[in-house]
Amino acid sequence: MKKSYIALLIFLCTAIVFVLYLLIGGKGIYNKALPNVDFSILGAFKNNPLQDTLYINVEDGKDEVLYAKAKRLAKSLRDEGVVVRINEKGNHSSGNLNLYVASNKHSLPKVIDNDSINILYIPYVSSDDDFEIFRNFDVVIVKSISSYSHLKAINVRTAYIPDAIDIKTSSLSPKLKAMFIGDNNEFSLSLYLAKNKDFDIYGKNWTHTEHSKKIKNENIDDNNFSKYSITLCDQTEEEIANSIVNDKVIRILENGGLPLVRYNQGIKHIFQDDVVMYYNEEDFNRKFEELISDKNLVKEKRKAIFEKAKNWNTKITANKFIEIFMIMKQKKI
C-alpha cells in the first residue's frame, strides 16, 4: 500500500513539472500564454508524421481567396495526421514548424522566431526581386514553375507546389457546344476570338453588349462544366508570364470540364497537351472546331486529365509539404 502511495506521489509531481514546463518554458506545440494551451492535442502526436504542431500564418485574413486556400491546405494536412493551427494577420503565433502564406512579395509576413523552421508559400517571385527579403525563410515554396526554376538557379532553397486539383469524374456525354465563364469587367480575349462562334455565356454584366443573346445565366452551376465540350475562360498577363494555373481553370477541371485557354507553361507542366491551349487566332479556331465536333476526343482528353491530376491532388500536395518540413527538421538537428 505504501509503495502505491509513493508511486502516485511521483506521478503527480511529474505531471505538475510537465505542465509548468509547457506554461513557462515549453516551445513548439504551445505558446507561452495560458489561453493558447490546448491539452486536447497531446494524444494527436501519436500518428502525426511531423510530431509537432504546424502553425500556418496567413498574411492577410481579409483576402478571402488566400485564406480559403490556406484553410483547404490545413484540412488536407489534418487528413494526413498533422496537427495544424491556422492564424490570420494580427493573430500570428509560432512554434517549431511554421508555414507563412502570402499573396505577393509586398505582403510578406514577419517571421516570429528565426530559430524555428520557417517556410514561405507564395505564388511567384520576379527575377528582379531583391532576394534578401526572403532570407528569414528556410524554404520558399512557389506555385510558379518558372519562379521555381529561377530560385533554384540562384541557389535559393525552393519547391514547386501549385494549388491542389481534385477532379471529379463524369459519365455525361458532352453536348457539341462551347461555354464561356467570366464577368464583363475588362477585355476578353476568349470572346474576341470566339465572336462569330456558337457558345453560351455564364457571367455578369453582359446584358448591354454584343454578346447579350448568348447569355445563359449570370451564375454557373459546377455541374454545367461537364455538359459542354469545352469551356472558354481568360487568364491575366501576370498569370501567363508567371506560369500560374488560375482559379477558373482549376474550377473547370475539378468539375469535369475541358478548358480551351491561351498557352500557359504552368498548365503545360502539369497536363502536357491534354488541356488544350492555343498560341494564336488560327490555332484557336482550329482547336475550337475540333473539340466541338468530336465527343470522343473530348472524352479522351478528360480521361487523360483525370489521370494526370492524381499527381496534384490535395493528398499529394499535403504530403509534399510534410516531406519538406521533415527534411528541414533533419537539417536542423
Side-chain angles (χ1 to χ4, degrees):
M1 184 67 71
K2 187 175 181 180
K3 290 182 179 180
S4 299
Y5 282 122
I6 292 173
L8 178 60
L9 182 60
I10 293 172
F11 174 81
L12 290 173
C13 290
T14 303
I16 290 170
V17 170
F18 179 67
V19 170
L20 287 172
Y21 168 75
L22 293 177
L23 296 179
I24 299 172
K27 177 187 174 185
I29 58 175
Y30 302 109
N31 282 350
K32 293 181 180 179
L34 179 59
N36 290 329
V37 177
D38 183 2
F39 295 101
S40 66
I41 66 173
L42 281 172
F45 293 108
K46 182 179 179 181
N47 299 312
N48 181 355
L50 295 180
Q51 295 297 303
D52 211 335
T53 293
L54 172 59
Y55 289 82
I56 299 180
N57 291 317
V58 184
E59 177 53 21
D60 189 356
K62 293 181 180 179
D63 185 334
E64 294 182 3
V65 175
L66 181 69
Y67 194 63
K69 289 181 179 181
K71 287 197 296 184
R72 182 180 181 183
L73 174 59
K75 182 183 182 305
S76 66
L77 288 163
R78 289 186 183 113
D79 289 343
E80 297 305 306
V82 179
V83 177
V84 179
R85 177 171 175 174
I86 186 168
N87 307 293
E88 297 182 31
K89 184 178 181 181
N91 191 36
H92 288 181
S93 56
S94 176
N96 289 326
L97 309 176
N98 306 293
L99 178 65
Y100 291 90
V101 180
S103 57
N104 57 68
K105 65 181 180 182
H106 302 295
S107 64
L108 291 184
K110 183 179 179 180
V111 170
I112 298 172
D113 184 356
N114 288 321
D115 293 328
S116 299
I117 295 172
N118 301 301
I119 294 179
L120 175 65
Y121 191 29
I122 192 170
Y124 66 90
V125 299
S126 301
S127 58
D128 57 351
D129 284 342
D130 178 4
F131 289 93
E132 277 297 303
I133 64 177
F134 303 119
R135 64 185 175 84
N136 288 329
F137 299 102
D138 296 291
V139 184
V140 179
I141 301 177
V142 290
K143 302 178 183 182
S144 161
I145 189 63
S146 55
S147 292
Y148 165 73
S149 299
H150 176 66
L151 289 170
K152 193 174 179 181
I154 61 173
N155 295 319
V156 173
R157 191 181 285 124
T158 185
Y160 168 66
I161 306 181
D163 288 324
I165 303 174
D166 293 308
I167 296 183
K168 302 174 185 175
T169 56
S170 175
S171 58
L172 286 174
S173 179
K175 54 186 173 183
L176 297 176
K177 192 173 185 179
M179 62 176 285
F180 169 84
I181 178 174
D183 298 332
N184 182 24
N185 298 324
E186 55 189 17
F187 172 75
S188 169
L189 177 62
S190 297
L191 291 191
Y192 172 78
L193 294 175
K195 57 183 177 294
N196 296 320
K197 301 185 183 301
D198 182 28
F199 60 92
D200 293 333
I201 289 179
Y202 290 84
K204 299 176 181 178
N205 305 321
W206 295 106
T207 305
H208 303 294
T209 70
E210 61 182 309
H211 306 293
S212 59
K213 293 183 179 179
K214 296 178 179 179
I215 299 172
K216 190 73 172 180
N217 201 311
E218 284 195 349
N219 301 304
I220 174 70
D221 186 311
D222 287 341
N223 292 322
N224 284 341
F225 291 114
S226 60
K227 296 177 182 178
Y228 290 82
S229 292
I230 50 175
T231 301
L232 309 176
C233 74
D234 292 309
Q235 306 168 84
T236 66
E237 292 297 327
E238 182 181 51
E239 289 164 344
I240 291 174
N242 293 289
S243 59
I244 298 292
V245 185
N246 79 15
D247 294 338
K248 287 181 183 176
V249 172
I250 292 176
R251 184 183 179 190
I252 295 165
L253 291 169
E254 288 196 322
N255 291 284
L258 178 63
L260 173 58
V261 293
R262 186 176 163 194
Y263 179 81
N264 181 316
Q265 184 188 0
I267 298 174
K268 173 77 171 181
H269 179 77
I270 297 173
F271 294 105
Q272 286 77 58
D273 295 323
D274 293 312
V275 169
V276 186
M277 295 180 283
Y278 59 86
Y279 294 91
N280 52 44
E281 186 171 2
E282 180 182 354
D283 197 31
F284 173 87
N285 288 328
R286 179 176 61 82
K287 290 175 177 175
F288 184 100
E289 296 302 327
E290 283 180 355
L291 291 167
I292 63 165
S293 60
D294 191 341
K295 288 185 179 182
N296 289 329
L297 175 61
V298 172
K299 289 179 180 179
E300 287 172 9
K301 292 285 186 184
R302 288 180 178 178
K303 183 177 180 181
I305 288 169
F306 176 76
E307 291 301 319
K308 287 186 173 68
K310 290 179 180 179
N311 295 318
W312 305 93
N313 61 27
T314 52
K315 183 178 179 66
I316 294 294
T317 297
N319 279 284
K320 287 178 181 178
F321 277 95
I322 291 169
E323 182 180 6
I324 291 169
F325 275 102
M326 290 179 74
I327 290 171
M328 293 312 301
K329 283 183 70 174
Q330 290 298 315
K331 288 183 177 292
K332 288 277 187 176
I333 295 175

